[in-house]
Amino acid sequence: MTRLTLSRPDDLHLHLRDAEALPVVVPHSAERFGRAIVMPNLNPPVTTTAQATAYRQRILASVPAGQDFTPLMTLYLTDNTLPETVAEAAQSGAVHAVKLYPAGATTNSDSGVTDIGKADAALSEMAAAGLPLLVHGEVTDPAVDIFDRERVFIEQVLAPLLERHPDLKVVMEHITTREAVEFVKRAGANVAATVTPHHLLMNRNALLAGGIRPHHYCLPVLKRESHREALLEASTSGNPRFFLGTDSAPHARGAKETACGCAGIYSAHAALELYTEAFEQAGALDRLEAFAAHYGADFYGLPRNSGSVTLEKSEWRVPESYAFGGDHLVPLRAGETVAWRLVSD
Ligand SMILES: NC(=O)N[C@@H](CC(=O)O)C(=O)O
Ligand SMILES: [Zn+2]
Ligand SMILES: [Zn+2]
């Protein structure tokens, strides 16, 4: 097959940042996706509906003319999030989820939750309102090996949380392990997961073999090949509780290529094309549309998009970088090729 037309997909996990980043990154997502669940880990974080709606306007100002792209906003859960704040968010129509970052787990998570027990009242309100909890699922205990932090989070935090709140809708974001796949498969219809293109296409060799590759560093960190295979199997299985979320996370080159580089991989410039590579590799191109355009919308209770996008099997070279404020943004596959190309209908 050399041409593939899909319903217009959604990105259910996206970092757009703010200010001068927006005109660089928003057009990449808007070209490919109808909507995106926009992460709230700005500095300071987005914790109120008023902040979320103001941020939404700043994003919309960077959507190119003629493109139809809807940012779906989220709030950042803190130890102090009140049930009233959750209720206001649920009623606003602009806020579609609340994000849990364990304090210190990842980029801009300093205001995150120190003890999930402190959020119980907010979580009960979310369950009542049908507002999903999006989870960065890693423990932060320095004694736990970084490759085990997702598995331990499931055992110590997520399973007990779902016992306390059995009706809460939960999305385990950017899953990276066989254990996360199995947890989601066994859980009820209220539990789902997003899978990134980089975790479908790369294992930890891409980070560490033959030299350290800071542009392949993200959290949760890339895992061994058997985990990548489990993610690819789940994503191409037709199970509606695994769906597309890129976790495209732009950082300036200077913050990545340094002695202590930060976590995040930028993939918005080629996200759908990279998923298409992964699904082709698995012999499952016929399953791509549902993963990319149906299951996420269905889980969030949103209507499916009406438009379409077309991809062609035709190699193109990714730029070495994009101008990004006063610095540069190095995209995934910089200077290398991608096998599928987005074409206008
Ligand atoms: N995934 C990452 O490695 N980084 C994300 C944060 C996150 O999603 O954990 C970022 O905001 O840069
Ligand atoms: Zn995360
Ligand atoms: Zn993320």
Side-chain angles (χ1 to χ4, degrees):
M1 189 189 302
T2 58
R3 236 174 134 88
L4 197 61
T5 294
L6 311 172
S7 304
R8 196 163 172 76
D10 296 312
D11 183 349
L12 286 309
H13 181 133
L14 178 64
H15 300 269
L16 292 171
R17 313 303 188 206
D18 209 345
E20 74 263 30
L22 293 175
V24 182
V25 305
V26 170
H28 288 157
S29 292
E31 219 185 325
R32 292 164 178 81
F33 298 100
R35 296 168 292 199
I37 292 281
V38 179
M39 291 297 125
N41 62 331
L42 302 182
N43 193 9
V46 177
T47 55
T48 66
T49 298
Q51 287 171 338
T53 48
Y55 181 32
R56 184 175 189 277
Q57 288 310 118
R58 298 197 295 279
I59 295 165
L60 287 172
S62 289
V63 176
Q67 291 277 15
D68 180 18
F69 178 71
T70 305
L72 307 172
M73 308 313 292
T74 61
L75 295 191
Y76 185 113
L77 189 69
T78 73
D79 286 348
N80 306 313
T81 303
L82 298 171
E84 301 85 82
T85 308
V86 170
E88 186 193 2
Q91 280 153 24
S92 73
V95 175
H96 293 266
V98 177
K99 183 68 191 274
L100 163 63
Y101 291 100
T106 186
T107 303
N108 290 347
S109 62
D110 294 349
S111 315
V113 173
T114 60
D115 171 2
I116 188 69
K118 294 188 178 167
D120 259 339
L123 296 176
S124 297
E125 184 66 39
M126 287 167 60
L131 203 60
L133 178 73
L134 315 183
V135 175
H136 180 106
E138 290 190 289
V139 292
T140 56
D141 180 352
V144 177
D145 189 279
I146 187 140
F147 291 102
D148 297 333
R149 288 181 183 188
E150 183 173 281
R151 177 177 58 75
V152 174
F153 181 90
I154 292 169
E155 294 160 13
Q156 292 186 353
V157 183
L158 190 54
L161 184 146
L162 280 162
E163 265 166 42
R164 291 199 303 281
H165 300 279
D167 300 326
L168 183 65
K169 285 173 101 169
V170 173
V171 183
M172 255 202 107
E173 300 291 339
H174 48 43
I175 57 167
T176 62
T177 58
R178 177 180 301 280
E179 289 83 358
V181 166
E182 280 163 10
F183 182 82
V184 171
K185 281 184 178 170
R186 278 197 307 268
N190 56 317
V191 179
T194 53
V195 189
T196 76
H198 43 281
H199 290 106
L200 286 177
L201 288 166
M202 298 191 289
N203 63 38
R204 63 196 193 180
N205 284 357
L207 178 64
L208 296 168
I212 189 157
R213 300 275 297 261
H215 297 290
H216 292 167
Y217 175 59
C218 66
L219 288 171
V221 71
L222 293 171
K223 303 296 191 301
R224 63 167 66 246
E225 176 64 6
S226 57
H227 292 291
R228 186 191 73 87
E229 288 167 357
L231 299 178
L232 195 57
E233 187 281 322
S235 301
T236 58
S237 69
N239 182 330
R241 289 186 295 113
F242 296 92
F243 47 77
L244 186 156
T246 62
D247 192 25
S248 177
H251 290 277
R253 171 188 271 163
K256 296 284 294 173
E257 297 177 12
T258 178
C260 186
C262 56
I265 293 177
Y266 185 70
S267 63
H269 64 295
L272 191 59
E273 299 88 321
L274 292 166
Y275 282 109
T276 309
E277 277 190 12
F279 274 64
E280 184 180 37
Q281 190 187 102
L285 284 175
D286 58 328
R287 295 272 166 89
L288 179 63
E289 180 176 44
F291 172 83
H294 298 163
Y295 298 155
D298 295 352
F299 186 85
Y300 275 85
L302 298 164
R304 294 178 181 177
N305 291 322
S306 51
S308 64
V309 291
T310 298
L311 294 139
E312 207 173 69
K313 184 92 185 276
S314 147
E315 221 172 65
W316 59 285
R317 190 166 294 277
V318 174
E320 296 285 352
S321 68
Y322 298 102
F324 191 62
D327 200 326
H328 292 88
L329 172 60
V330 179
L332 186 56
R333 294 271 174 91
E336 297 170 22
T337 58
V338 172
W340 289 81
R341 178 197 299 271
L342 193 71
V343 292
S344 25
D345 282 321

